[in-house]
Amino acid sequence: MTRAFYIGRFQPYHNGHQYVLEQIAKKVDAIVIGVGSAQLSHEQQNPFTAGERILMITGSLQKVRIPIYVIPIEDIRRNALWVAHVRSMVPPFDMIYSSNPLVMRLFEEEGILVQSPALYERQLHSGTEIRRRMLRGEDWEHLVPPEVAVVVREIDGVERIRQIARNDCEECELQR
Ligand code: NAD
């Protein structure tokens, strides 16, 4: 039984994450997915709650035939202790998959096998680009699995992002 760990913020979950996880699912017996920065939501960089991100991920991976465990993980203020924090929260795993340099470094230093999957059309498939498109009213739905678009509609997510941005600007005006 080989269990792999994959962590991300998933703000939002997109086709790059989906592509990588579908590849990982062909190689291992189970995947543990950590929803990082679980405490954050309703911010421009982090608009979605951990629960909303869990809905996006589980909906998108319904057809994957191996067990998938999706666990929210809050940030801690000490990088040196973060791997122990993660391991205290999730089922045991044999290796991690990540292309985030800090995540890779922290797990490597703990002697855990790290695989680094190639990025899938990174220019387009990035949370930053998708949130930018949502804010500006540009097309974004083709960059995420259909189930993610359903969740974003259900929670009125695009309007949330726009409203948060408006609030930010009002604060900027007040600070001038
Ligand atoms: P992310 O959602 O940006 O990315 C998740 C994974 O997907 C990464 O491995 C990334 O390289 C990959 N990815 C992104 N775009 C891709 C694409 N187009 N194709 C293929 N793969 C793609 O999330 P992240 O920033 O990597 O998440 C790391 C989490 O770990 C954050 O929540 C961070 O706060 C947390 N963390 C916390 C601490 C701490 O609390 N001290 C320390 C380290 C990391």
Side-chain angles (χ1 to χ4, degrees):
M1 164 66 91
T2 307
R3 234 178 265 118
F5 180 64
Y6 186 79
I7 183 145
R9 265 169 55 236
F10 308 117
Q11 290 284 10
Y13 184 82
H14 57 62
N15 288 338
H17 302 130
Q18 180 80 359
Y19 176 78
V20 166
L21 282 164
E22 284 174 351
Q23 301 304 310
I24 298 171
K26 293 176 189 163
K27 299 178 190 154
V28 302
D29 301 308
I31 304 176
V32 180
I33 301 177
V35 177
S37 306
Q39 80 282 8
L40 299 180
S41 71
H42 297 78
E43 298 177 349
Q44 276 206 65
Q45 316 299 323
N46 298 284
F48 306 115
T49 67
E52 290 160 354
R53 290 176 272 161
I54 289 171
L55 280 185
M56 294 176 191
I57 297 165
T58 51
S60 303
L61 294 173
Q62 278 174 93
K63 295 201 179 101
V64 170
R65 289 172 169 271
I66 60 170
I68 306 270
Y69 308 95
V70 186
I71 317 277
I73 299 175
E74 296 193 5
D75 292 330
I76 59 168
R77 297 177 75 90
R78 290 194 189 191
N79 283 338
L81 298 183
W82 182 66
V83 171
H85 168 65
V86 168
R87 291 176 92 171
S88 76
M89 300 293 292
V90 307
F93 52 86
D94 305 288
M95 64 188 55
I96 83 139
Y97 284 82
S98 178
S99 303
N100 175 317
L102 173 62
V103 170
M104 293 170 66
R105 179 74 196 186
L106 293 177
F107 277 97
E108 278 164 4
E109 286 189 7
E110 295 303 318
I112 295 165
L113 176 62
V114 176
Q115 311 268 10
S116 181
L119 296 177
Y120 174 78
E121 297 179 354
R122 176 63 165 161
Q123 292 288 93
L124 277 178
H125 295 94
S126 89
T128 305
E129 172 62 12
I130 294 167
R131 293 191 306 273
R132 188 194 68 75
R133 285 167 174 252
M134 289 173 166
L135 186 60
R136 300 266 170 90
E138 296 174 18
D139 288 346
W140 56 272
E141 298 199 7
H142 62 293
L143 302 176
V144 302
E147 294 81 1
V148 173
V150 169
V151 173
V152 173
R153 272 199 295 276
E154 180 191 332
I155 62 172
D156 201 16
V158 172
E159 182 50 30
R160 179 189 295 171
I161 287 175
R162 292 187 186 150
Q163 191 165 356
I164 292 167
R166 279 200 295 277
N167 282 345
D168 280 353
C169 288
E170 281 165 17
E171 279 171 24
C172 296
E173 291 298 323
L174 289 174
Q175 284 163 11
R176 273 188 195 144

